[in-house]
Amino acid sequence: MSENNAKAYSEPNRTPLYDQHCKLGAKIVDFGGWALPVNYGSQVEEHHAVRSDCGMFDVSHMTVSDITGKDTLAFLKSTLANNVEKISGTPGKALYSCMLNEDGGVIDDLIVYYLDDNHCRLVTNASTNERDMAWLNQLAQGHEIIITERPELALLAVQGPNAIERVRSVVDQEFAESIASLKRFQGVFNGDKFIGRTGYTGEDGVELIVSADYANQLWEALLERKVQPCGLGARDTLRLEAGMALYGNDLDEQHTPLDSGLKWTVSLTEERDFVGKANLEIPAKHSMIGLVLEDRGVLRGHQKVFSNDIEIGEITSGTFSPTLEKSIALARVVSASKPALDDTVNIAVRNKMLTARVVKYPFV
């Protein structure tokens, strides 16, 4: 490697659980500047473990930030497309929202936990961290708040029909009782440990925000309880089967939430103003549709979608679904030409036109 190339290349960041992945022989890749496991052998087995039993994911590359101060709620009301007032007054309640630019494009999608009127916690994407923090700090001018990133914390997601029972079996009694009391989309502190009944798989489960040492203890304890470690590959097939958007694929700054199937996350009915609201066009120019491939092949991002020989859009996310044993996809199409459910469209795959059925998602 030349001296110039050596300077340009930097090792990806390692999560607190990196050594655990190496011990298990995981295939590690550079994912947005982080060394993360793609799989531990069989991606399909990992996928099925989450659907039928329980799996765990290292998601410590995600960014945790605490917003504190007397203007916390006012700031988030004006910053997020969804209205944080929906969850205010219920400690630990979580809200999914997009954060928009002035044009209405999506800078990031995130989870916000309401802790009290002077404290909320954000969980944002790793790939957008630099842009997110710059935007949040810019918008914070004039508000009495402090934004504090928490890079010392690890994030561990445990997902599947048996996830909650399995986590409760490896923590102390007080923590186990607080986990049992959680409702969906709600979190709770136990000392300095935070756990939310949230996830990115379509299954029940929890996400833990804890110290690096405790994350390693949990990982090892859950391994002993036969919880399947899962990598980025299974995470992607699971979230797509559940119809969940992925930033950079289904969401970006060139499209609004309304163009991306996320109208339900935008609060437009009240007088509240928020960044980007003025540029949200109704009806939206684009719509999202689900596709199931009828022919042999695999649907992938950026493949063009045709209806009656006219190009109407493109696939944003596509994969082979281990649960359905068919290829599935999300596609963004021009609203005016949106095909009806049960219609078929054609997908340009290499030099062929393959047939896909339009379906309602989530797929599973």
Side-chain angles (χ1 to χ4, degrees):
M1 182 183 290
S2 71
E3 185 178 344
N4 286 340
N5 285 340
K7 288 178 181 177
Y9 177 78
S10 60
E11 290 285 339
N13 296 305
R14 295 180 178 183
T15 75
L17 292 166
Y18 175 80
D19 290 342
Q20 300 282 1
H21 309 317
C22 294
K23 272 194 248 178
L24 293 169
K27 180 182 178 182
I28 305 289
V29 298
D30 185 336
F31 180 77
W34 288 85
L36 292 170
V38 173
N39 59 60
Y40 298 82
S42 170
Q43 176 179 320
V44 172
E45 286 180 12
E46 294 167 22
H47 179 106
H48 287 314
V50 174
R51 287 278 180 254
S52 63
D53 181 22
C54 187
M56 59 182 173
F57 304 78
D58 177 11
V59 288
S60 303
H61 60 297
M62 305 285 281
T63 302
V64 178
S65 302
D66 285 321
I67 300 179
T68 54
K70 72 172 191 177
D71 289 345
T72 294
L73 291 184
F75 169 68
L76 291 172
K77 280 177 63 178
S78 64
T79 298
L80 302 181
N82 212 343
N83 191 354
V84 74
E85 276 194 343
K86 292 178 181 178
I87 58 172
S88 64
T90 307
K93 189 66 178 171
L95 183 75
Y96 174 71
S97 181
C98 291
M99 179 168 63
L100 311 183
N101 59 27
E102 295 286 2
D103 296 327
V106 181
I107 288 179
D108 200 5
D109 64 324
L110 55 87
I111 296 287
V112 54
Y113 291 95
Y114 169 86
L115 303 173
D116 61 49
D117 285 355
N118 301 311
H119 184 191
C120 288
R121 171 165 282 185
L122 302 185
V123 181
T124 51
N125 286 301
S127 61
T128 54
N129 173 252
E130 209 169 294
R131 191 164 71 243
D132 288 349
M133 292 302 118
W135 187 237
L136 285 167
N137 281 293
Q138 179 182 329
L139 297 178
Q141 300 300 314
H143 288 92
E144 289 192 33
I145 59 167
I146 297 172
I147 301 172
T148 307
E149 286 187 68
R150 304 297 302 277
E152 76 279 10
L153 297 175
L155 282 82
L156 179 61
V158 189
Q159 302 282 293
N162 297 322
I164 292 176
E165 177 274 326
R166 212 67 61 85
V167 172
R168 292 186 68 220
S169 73
V170 300
V171 301
D172 62 54
Q173 184 176 349
E174 182 185 352
F175 198 6
E177 288 174 358
S178 63
I179 294 169
S181 69
L182 282 177
K183 296 178 180 178
R184 289 179 186 268
F185 242 61
Q186 184 179 24
V188 66
F189 270 105
N190 180 261
D192 61 353
K193 302 182 287 287
F194 186 81
I195 185 167
R197 195 171 170 185
T198 51
Y200 192 52
T201 62
E203 296 294 334
D204 201 0
V206 293
E207 295 178 304
L208 298 113
I209 302 174
V210 296
S211 69
D213 287 344
Y214 190 66
N216 276 277
Q217 292 174 34
L218 275 176
W219 184 273
E220 291 171 359
L222 290 166
L223 269 182
E224 290 181 7
R225 296 282 285 121
K226 307 300 183 186
V227 176
Q228 172 68 55
C230 302
L232 294 169
R235 191 165 182 255
D236 192 54
T237 53
L238 288 160
R239 71 91 191 168
L240 187 49
E241 285 187 350
M244 293 177 170
L246 174 65
Y247 193 86
N249 287 42
D250 315 297
L251 303 171
D252 55 45
E253 288 200 63
Q254 284 68 55
H255 297 92
T256 75
L258 309 185
D259 290 323
S260 307
L262 293 179
K263 183 179 179 181
W264 61 275
T265 72
V266 182
S267 292
L268 292 169
T269 55
E270 67 272 321
E271 293 182 3
R272 176 186 67 103
D273 195 16
F274 57 86
V275 176
K277 180 179 181 180
N279 290 304
L280 295 181
E281 294 189 32
I282 301 176
K285 294 179 181 178
H286 299 91
S287 300
M288 296 294 282
I289 58 172
L291 299 173
V292 175
L293 188 63
E294 300 285 82
D295 295 325
R296 294 186 63 180
V298 180
L299 300 178
R300 299 293 186 198
H302 304 298
Q303 291 170 345
K304 303 301 182 184
V305 180
F306 292 82
S307 179
N308 298 318
D309 298 324
I310 298 171
E311 183 180 325
I312 61 170
E314 71 173 28
I315 289 174
T316 55
S317 285
T319 192
F320 180 80
S321 162
T323 304
L324 298 179
E325 297 186 338
K326 290 177 177 285
S327 191
I328 61 174
L330 295 176
R332 181 180 287 112
V333 299
V334 178
S335 291
S337 59
K338 179 182 175 182
L341 289 178
D342 296 325
D343 279 359
T344 58
V345 294
N346 293 316
I347 313 297
V349 180
R350 297 188 178 89
N351 297 320
K352 296 181 180 178
M353 296 295 277
L354 303 183
T355 300
R357 183 165 41 91
V358 180
V359 300
K360 188 176 181 179
Y361 60 91
F363 302 91
V364 174

